[in-house]
């Protein structure tokens, strides 16, 4: 027997029934992003593996465990291996530097929409190929608490415009401070966790050495109990960092954004400095982050670019859709007309009329093979078309069609045959209904 193939684990087909929801989220996002002054950037689906290791951090879970690398035929002169992109930030920064954006503008506001790849153990809301709507604001003028507040507000607005209610999600924010502040914070954590180190889960034993911040967001109960006992505060921050964070909070308050300050919010990627944030939904189960982001003031220079600051975030499209499951679905655009023909001659004519209608942006379809009237009407019904256009022997002889409105059952005969001129009345009537131009 021939083998039947299945979609690879951790990936999913987006089937026609779900497309209206996808398109709605994408179109809404593009709209909101344009209103906020962001421009789209499209980068390749794969990059040099080293780009991700150097930006997200050698010690991050993504780089250590989840990179999907390509067994590519390395071309001469190409030193590094390639990996499917696990996120968008590194690639956007690579492009920012490569294309000298800093010489063209003082603040580059960029967005991307597309698939990302992480070799994770799949579970609800955790896929190996998933889609992000992401934003990066990079440039010498990006270090302003107002921009932090605007970026956070943008992430919230994208979710609400996609159909979520403010009560459906929670926004948490924190600050990690500058690189020096982060070093102090890591030292504080190691000192205070050291006595209880043996009580940490296996993963956190490892994290203690390589990325101690991650102990703070471990989901293991015993680690959480140890973290709860830590006297966390912002003592590790410099006066400047503390002031910056206070100003971000004030700017958020001025925009009426509801948030919770969370001292345990640290994020798993190395590049973050200062403001970090995460938006979660209780509807999602254990993978509850709808989106997350933060400032990354050193990444551009670390990757060989100018010393400019930056902030961004990414939302997970699949997780937004999961959170929207109980909300009404956007309707897909229905067909305007379905053509039913009853003999060879009218099939030929119907085929031509269909193409004339499509030239006028009237969405139409037909049965391409002759079958009984009953079976074609069933097809018309299933297609959801607003009108059925019937051409039988009688209509054919008269150079006419019978147009039936499915909802009311009202019928009328209209002149229509093989030329545009012959179809004038039909086009006008259907365009009136569509609101499009004849
Ligand atoms: P991240 O927290 O790794 O951040 O991912 C952002 C969002 O992508 C998550 O909150 C989640 O909604 C979605 N996501 C991540 N992994 C998966 C997965 N395996 N399956 C389904 N959805 C997933 C970043 O990627 C950063 N680049 C965000 C950023 C942009 N920071 C600054 N600029």
């Amino acid at each position: 027997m021939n083998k039947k193939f299945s979609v690879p684990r951790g990936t999913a087909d987006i089937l026609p029934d779900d497309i209206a929801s996808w398109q709605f989220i994408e179109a809404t996002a593009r709209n909101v992003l344009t209103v906020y002054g962001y421009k789209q950037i499209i980068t390749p689906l794969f990059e040099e593996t080293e780009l991700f290791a150097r930006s997200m951090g050698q010690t991050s879970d993504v780089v250590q465990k989840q990179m999907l690398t390509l067994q590519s035929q390395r071309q001469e002169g190409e030193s590094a291996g390639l990996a499917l992109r696990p996120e968008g930030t590194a690639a956007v920064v690579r492009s920012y530097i490569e294309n000298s954006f800093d010489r063209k503008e003082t603040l580059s506001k960029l967005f991307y929409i597309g698939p990302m790849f992480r070799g994770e153990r799949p579970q609800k809301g955790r896929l190996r190929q998933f889609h992000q709507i992401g934003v990066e604001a990079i440039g010498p003028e990006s270090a302003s608490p107002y921009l932090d507040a605007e970026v956070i507000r943008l992430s919230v607005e994208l979710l609400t415009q996609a159909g979520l209610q403010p009560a459906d999600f929670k926004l948490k924010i924190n600050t990690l401070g500058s690189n020096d502040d982060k070093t102090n914070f890591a030292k504080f954590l190691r000192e205070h966790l050291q006595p209880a180190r043996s009580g940490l889960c296996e993963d956190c034993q490892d994290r203690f050495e390589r990325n101690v911040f991650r102990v703070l967001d471990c989901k293991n109960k015993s680690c959480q109990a140890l973290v709860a006992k830590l006297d966390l505060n912002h003592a590790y921050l410099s006066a400047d960092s503390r002031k910056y964070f206070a100003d971000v909070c004030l700017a958020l308050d001025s925009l009426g954004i509801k948030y919770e300050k969370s001292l345990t919010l640290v994020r798993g990627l190395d590049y973050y400095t200062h403001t970090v944030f995460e938006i979660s939904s209780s509807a999602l189960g254990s993978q509850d982050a709808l989106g997350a982001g933060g400032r990354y003031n050193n990444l551009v220079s670390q990757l060989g670019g100018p010393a400019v600051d930056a902030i961004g975030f990414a939302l997970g499209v699949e997780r937004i859709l999961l959170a929207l499951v109980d909300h009404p679905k956007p309707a897909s655009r229905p067909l305007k007309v379905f053509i039913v023909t009853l003999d060879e001659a009218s099939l030929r004519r119907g085929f031509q009329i269909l193409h004339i209608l499509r030239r006028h942006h009237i969405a139409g379809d037909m049965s391409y093979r002759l079958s009984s009237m009953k079976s074609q009407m069933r097809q018309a019904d299933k297609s959801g078309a607003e009108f059925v256009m019937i051409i039988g022997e009688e209509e054919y002889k008269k150079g006419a069609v019978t147009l039936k409105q499915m909802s009311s059952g009202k019928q009328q005969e209209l002149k229509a045959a093989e030329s545009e001129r012959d179809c004038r009345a039909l086009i006008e009537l259907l365009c009136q209904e569509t609101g499009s131009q004849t």
Side-chain angles (χ1 to χ4, degrees), residues 11-29:
T11 70
D13 297 321
I14 302 153
L15 298 174
D17 277 354
D18 298 322
I19 286 295
S21 303
W22 274 81
Q23 287 182 340
F24 176 74
I25 290 182
E26 227 188 280
T28 313

Side-chain angles (χ1 to χ4, degrees), residues 264-400:
T264 54
L265 179 69
V266 285
R267 310 276 302 117
L269 311 174
D270 274 10
Y271 50 61
Y272 290 115
T273 53
H274 295 279
T275 315
V276 285
F277 63 101
E278 192 170 280
I279 304 178
S280 59
S281 156
S282 55
L284 292 182
S286 72
Q287 301 301 312
D288 64 353
L290 286 166
R295 206 161 250 298
Y296 49 97
N297 286 350
N298 305 311
L299 182 59
V300 184
S301 57
Q302 255 170 37
L303 292 178
V308 297
D309 301 315
I311 181 166
F313 67 84
L315 303 175
V317 178
E318 284 82 358
R319 293 198 189 166
I320 299 176
L321 287 168
L322 273 177
L324 280 169
V325 158
D326 295 331
H327 295 58
K329 275 192 173 180
S332 52
R333 187 182 158 197
L335 282 185
K336 191 85 207 167
V337 61
F338 190 94
I339 301 178
V340 169
T341 61
L342 299 176
D343 55 53
E344 278 299 337
S346 38
L347 174 61
R348 212 174 309 119
R349 179 173 289 170
F351 186 65
Q352 277 179 279
I353 294 177
L354 177 63
H355 289 274
I356 293 171
L357 295 181
R358 285 177 180 161
R359 274 210 292 276
H360 290 265
H361 306 286
I362 296 165
D365 217 336
M366 72 185 296
S367 170
Y368 298 93
R369 282 160 59 124
L370 287 175
S371 59
S372 70
M373 173 90 163
K374 197 170 156 200
S375 129
Q376 290 190 62
M377 287 306 280
R378 220 181 295 125
Q379 262 180 282
D381 208 33
K382 230 172 148 189
S383 77
E386 216 177 312
F387 292 92
V388 183
M389 195 183 99
I390 302 159
I391 316 179
E393 207 178 323
E394 279 302 300
E395 284 94 348
Y396 186 85
K397 275 193 216 143
K398 285 197 244 168

Side-chain angles (χ1 to χ4, degrees), residues 87 89 118 120 125 127 132 136 267 271-272 289-291 312-313:
E87 57 121 45
T89 312
R118 296 185 191 177
E120 305 208 59
L127 294 154
Q132 284 187 344
E136 315 295 347
R267 310 276 302 117
Y271 50 61
Y272 290 115
L290 286 166
F313 67 84

Side-chain angles (χ1 to χ4, degrees), residues 160-358:
T160 48
Q161 294 282 337
L164 289 168
Q165 303 295 320
D168 292 333
F169 56 84
K170 193 152 89 184
L171 167 66
K172 283 190 192 164
I173 65 167
N174 192 19
T175 180
L176 301 172
S178 64
N179 262 352
D180 285 347
D181 298 335
K182 278 174 76 177
T183 309
N184 288 338
F185 189 27
K187 201 163 145 231
F188 166 91
L189 289 175
R190 288 207 179 92
E191 269 168 24
H192 288 78
L193 286 169
Q194 179 61 42
R197 198 174 160 182
S198 58
L200 294 171
C201 74
E202 212 177 299
D203 273 349
C204 284
Q205 299 278 351
D206 185 34
R207 286 174 184 148
F208 183 90
E209 291 297 344
R210 59 181 180 89
N211 195 344
V212 70
F213 299 129
R214 292 312 308 276
V215 176
L216 297 185
D217 57 16
C218 179
K219 300 244 157 55
N220 184 294
K221 289 267 178 296
S222 60
C223 299
Q224 283 180 350
L226 288 174
V227 167
K229 284 198 202 132
L230 292 173
D231 183 20
L232 289 178
N233 54 50
H234 279 161
Y236 57 88
L237 294 177
S238 68
D240 281 353
S241 300
R242 212 167 301 155
K243 162 104 176 46
Y244 191 90
F245 187 57
D247 288 344
V248 172
C249 294
L250 279 176
L252 281 172
D253 294 339
S254 75
L255 294 174
I257 305 283
K258 294 229 172 341
Y259 58 90
E260 185 188 306
K261 286 186 203 167
S262 165
L263 291 163
T264 54
L265 179 69
V266 285
R267 310 276 302 117
L269 311 174
D270 274 10
Y271 50 61
Y272 290 115
T273 53
H274 295 279
T275 315
V276 285
F277 63 101
E278 192 170 280
I279 304 178
S280 59
S281 156
S282 55
L284 292 182
S286 72
Q287 301 301 312
D288 64 353
L290 286 166
R295 206 161 250 298
Y296 49 97
N297 286 350
N298 305 311
L299 182 59
V300 184
S301 57
Q302 255 170 37
L303 292 178
V308 297
D309 301 315
I311 181 166
F313 67 84
L315 303 175
V317 178
E318 284 82 358
R319 293 198 189 166
I320 299 176
L321 287 168
L322 273 177
L324 280 169
V325 158
D326 295 331
H327 295 58
K329 275 192 173 180
S332 52
R333 187 182 158 197
L335 282 185
K336 191 85 207 167
V337 61
F338 190 94
I339 301 178
V340 169
T341 61
L342 299 176
D343 55 53
E344 278 299 337
S346 38
L347 174 61
R348 212 174 309 119
R349 179 173 289 170
F351 186 65
Q352 277 179 279
I353 294 177
L354 177 63
H355 289 274
I356 293 171
L357 295 181
R358 285 177 180 161

Side-chain angles (χ1 to χ4, degrees), residues 105-146:
E105 51 196 14
T106 49
L107 179 61
S108 302
K109 292 167 110 183
L110 305 166
F111 81 86
Y112 47 91
I113 300 183
M116 307 291 159
F117 308 86
R118 296 185 191 177
E120 305 208 59
R121 199 163 38 80
Q123 65 180 85
K124 183 182 170 197
R126 189 162 76 184
L127 294 154
R128 305 182 91 199
Q129 175 176 329
F130 57 97
H131 296 75
Q132 284 187 344
I133 298 172
V135 150
E136 315 295 347
I138 313 172
E141 283 192 4
S142 97
S144 158
Y146 291 106

